[in-house]
Amino acid sequence: MGTLSLAEIQEKLLDGSLTCRKIVDTYLSRIEASKHLNAYVEVYTEEVIRQADILDGKIKNKRTELGRLFGCVFSVKDMIVLENHGVTAGSRILEGFKSRFTATCLQRMLDEDAIVIGRTNCDEFGMGSANLHSHYGSVGNAVDPERVSGGSSGGAAVSVQAGTCLVALGTDTGGSVRQPAAMTGTFGFKPTYGMVSRYGLIAYASSFDQLGVIAGRAEDVDRVMDVVSSVDPHDGTMLQRGLYGSQLTEKKETYRLAWFPEAVESDGIDDEVRDRFSSFRAYLSRQGHTVEPVGFDLLDYLVPCYYILTTAEASSNLSRYDGVRYGYRSKEAKNINDLYVMSRSEGFGSEVKKRIMLGSFVLSEGYYDAYFSKAQKVRTLVRNRLQEIFGGFDFIVLPTSPVAAWKKSDKADNPLSEYMADIYTVLASLAGMPAISVPSGNNSGGLPLGIQLIAPAGSDKKLVGFCKDITDWHNI
Ligand code: GLN
């Protein structure tokens, strides 16, 4: 079952050789067996079994009424809300909070008969690249639990890596589904900004946040995207046209791909990542595609620009957690001012506090022009430059991460090096363009590596379609 695609699972469910109950029993026992990885914050055991039995009844009796995702068991990141269920964004500040509604993307999955198995661990409010900043502790990589899972959707990626569900819903602000996907040998897709409703996604940086999908197969990413990308009046930033299911998918024999020599010449990139990336380019050329180097001189500005803008947005988004309206409230406070200060001081972790401070600083009167508005201009430059490149190319290829999963203790005293690990993923986020991480085999230490492909806005389906054909490129 571990390697079956959704289409194969559905075929078996229809011919009676598999039942939903059998599927969820298997997943639940794998969750139990992989508990030490700490991928889940909560498992919906009873509800999952009940849903599986209902679906089995439906399959037996009325096959025609089945939703498009029947048999798809998925996990959901602890930043996507489900009615009457707890959700905390990996933070103490949302302790005890229950959502009164369901996120649109999650509802669309349920409406199509998918079953949600539990909520997965993540960096607090999505802030991190290693899942080391969660109130619930770190998530271990299934290949080596002493190593990180990537972040911030580390639990989501490991939930797929450890075979505890078919698909995981995560969120991606600057690489949070692509980077953990690379570190766990799975596919991680971030759509064009506005392709999926953000209603019910806990906000980190609203002009960057998008739902992301992690799966073992590109075709399953495609199936899920077809369902979750649909108009939602609750999200004013959603695209009204060109949604995933309506995008043209005409297949070309050969594609044109650009790559940036500057991106792989820097010191920070691991030799094996560089080698794998060059084998990938050679593979693409052998397949008849055109792969050309292109100059890109904005590389050094990506990470600073991303962190200025996202911390600014986060400092504003997170001001709503005041100890009054949601979750955690300090018990010691004697007056309303203390209540705000103490609830936030006790409720937020140190990474979040650092970013709120940084964000407030770059938005402050004296520094607004020097940092925030300058970063916005750089963001426009980045988008324009990519658009210019896409005038002559279908996709841009890059490694997903400059390094493989590191030891949990490795970057603890060097937060900047954790930020720098985002260098390749923040590019598509700054530009609002779709990007996917494709599994690319393991390094000599047995750790998974990923390759990233970026497409112009609105070419999501073409990008995922291309990935379906290169799934096993590293075995050829
Ligand atoms: N690592 C990046 C950050 O910490 C990206 C996180 C994300 O995409 N949510 O901001």
Side-chain angles (χ1 to χ4, degrees):
M1 206 177 75
T3 56
L4 295 181
S5 68
L6 179 58
E8 290 160 347
I9 289 175
Q10 292 184 334
E11 215 176 280
K12 287 186 182 295
L13 287 171
L14 290 177
D15 73 18
S17 57
L18 193 59
T19 61
C20 291
R21 182 61 189 269
K22 172 96 193 5
I23 295 175
V24 302
D25 282 348
T26 308
Y27 286 146
L28 289 170
S29 66
R30 289 184 189 157
I31 289 178
E32 202 51 41
S34 59
K35 253 194 162 143
H36 60 290
L37 300 175
N38 202 22
Y40 285 84
V41 171
E42 186 181 358
V43 182
Y44 309 137
T45 310
E46 280 165 28
E47 291 167 82
V48 175
I49 293 174
R50 197 165 56 238
Q51 283 308 318
D53 288 345
I54 292 174
L55 205 56
D56 280 333
K58 233 170 143 181
I59 293 171
K60 254 198 190 144
N61 304 326
K62 287 191 200 153
R63 294 182 176 193
T64 45
E65 277 184 23
L66 293 172
R68 286 182 285 167
L69 295 182
F70 78 95
C72 172
V73 178
F74 69 105
S75 69
V76 62
K77 184 179 182 180
D78 188 25
M79 285 185 67
I80 303 171
V81 307
L82 176 61
E83 189 178 359
N84 291 327
H85 288 69
V87 62
T88 69
S91 181
R92 186 182 186 201
I93 204 133
L94 278 167
E95 209 170 66
F97 174 74
K98 278 200 172 154
S99 176
R100 283 192 264 164
F101 67 100
T102 298
T104 304
C105 55
L106 179 42
Q107 190 60 52
R108 300 270 193 264
M109 300 277 290
L110 301 178
D111 291 345
E112 293 293 343
D113 283 336
I115 298 177
V116 55
I117 195 161
R119 102 184 123 100
T120 53
N121 200 349
C122 61
D123 280 305
E124 192 175 355
F125 286 98
M127 299 175 186
S129 312
N131 217 133
L132 295 171
H133 307 301
S134 164
H135 176 54
Y136 303 100
S138 62
V139 175
N141 197 305
V143 173
D144 174 358
E146 294 304 310
R147 290 183 181 266
V148 301
S149 54
S152 66
S153 313
V158 171
S159 73
V160 174
Q161 182 193 28
T164 67
C165 56
L166 186 75
V167 170
L169 295 188
T171 58
D172 189 309
T173 306
S176 272
V177 301
R178 290 163 281 154
Q179 190 253 24
M183 293 191 174
T184 54
T186 53
F187 287 87
F189 177 58
K190 179 203 89 76
T192 300
Y193 184 80
M195 197 54 66
V196 180
S197 169
R198 285 185 297 114
Y199 185 64
L201 267 54
I202 293 182
Y204 159 13
S206 311
S207 77
F208 292 77
D209 298 340
Q210 263 299 281
L211 179 85
V213 181
I214 297 176
R217 302 276 196 110
E219 60 195 273
D220 291 340
V221 171
D222 184 55
R223 297 282 301 270
V224 169
M225 279 305 300
D226 263 332
V227 167
V228 295
S229 175
S230 70
V231 180
D232 179 15
H234 289 116
D235 178 0
T237 61
M238 253 211 90
L239 297 164
Q240 299 299 305
R241 276 175 293 136
L243 294 183
Y244 192 84
S246 70
Q247 291 175 7
L248 294 175
T249 50
E250 102 289 1
K251 222 167 143 180
K252 293 205 251 174
E253 276 304 305
T254 60
Y255 289 86
R256 292 176 63 83
L257 297 102
W259 66 285
F260 307 147
E262 287 101 325
V264 283
E265 273 157 15
S266 71
D267 291 341
I269 179 168
D270 183 87
D271 286 342
E272 287 196 64
V273 172
R274 191 183 288 118
D275 290 351
R276 185 56 56 93
F277 183 57
S278 97
S279 321
F280 181 61
R281 297 197 311 272
Y283 159 82
L284 291 172
S285 303
R286 282 200 306 278
Q287 300 292 307
H289 303 299
T290 308
V291 190
E292 276 177 23
V294 169
F296 185 75
D297 54 9
L298 296 167
L299 210 66
D300 289 344
Y301 306 106
L302 300 181
V303 170
C305 175
Y306 169 81
Y307 276 96
I308 288 171
L309 295 176
T310 54
T311 53
E313 292 188 27
S315 73
S316 161
N317 271 329
L318 270 55
S319 62
R320 75 192 70 181
Y321 304 105
D322 54 6
V324 177
R325 286 172 289 184
Y326 310 92
Y328 180 78
R329 177 178 301 172
S330 174
K331 308 223 170 8
E332 310 298 322
K334 303 260 182 306
N335 57 48
I336 186 73
N337 254 340
D338 282 0
L339 183 97
Y340 295 146
V341 173
M342 293 170 79
S343 300
R344 285 170 70 82
S345 304
E346 293 161 22
F348 286 132
S350 59
E351 182 63 27
V352 172
K353 284 180 190 159
K354 187 163 67 188
R355 296 197 190 195
I356 291 175
M357 279 159 61
L358 192 58
S360 310
F361 174 78
V362 299
L363 287 176
S364 62
E365 202 183 342
Y367 295 98
Y368 187 92
D369 283 336
Y371 293 103
F372 185 71
S373 41
K374 201 164 259 175
Q376 279 187 310
K377 287 176 191 155
V378 173
R379 187 178 195 183
T380 305
L381 283 180
V382 169
R383 191 184 299 125
N384 290 350
R385 177 72 187 117
L386 288 194
Q387 256 156 10
E388 198 184 312
I389 293 170
F390 282 127
F393 293 92
D394 297 290
F395 306 121
I396 293 169
V397 278
L398 281 167
T400 309
S401 164
V403 288
W406 56 85
K407 280 241 158 67
K408 284 181 183 171
S409 53
D410 267 6
K411 292 188 197 290
D413 49 359
N414 187 0
L416 264 188
S417 75
E418 189 182 330
Y419 294 172
M420 286 314 289
D422 297 337
I423 181 141
Y424 301 132
T425 49
V426 297
L427 176 61
S429 307
L430 283 162
M433 292 175 179
I436 187 165
S437 179
V438 179
S440 300
N442 299 334
N443 69 9
S444 51
L447 299 168
L449 298 175
I451 298 281
Q452 187 189 197
L453 291 112
I454 305 175
S459 295
D460 306 58
K461 204 168 173 69
K462 175 172 151 186
L463 176 63
V464 176
F466 181 72
C467 293
K468 284 193 218 165
D469 295 336
I470 54 164
T471 297
D472 287 327
W473 76 268
H474 47 93
N475 297 327
I476 295 170

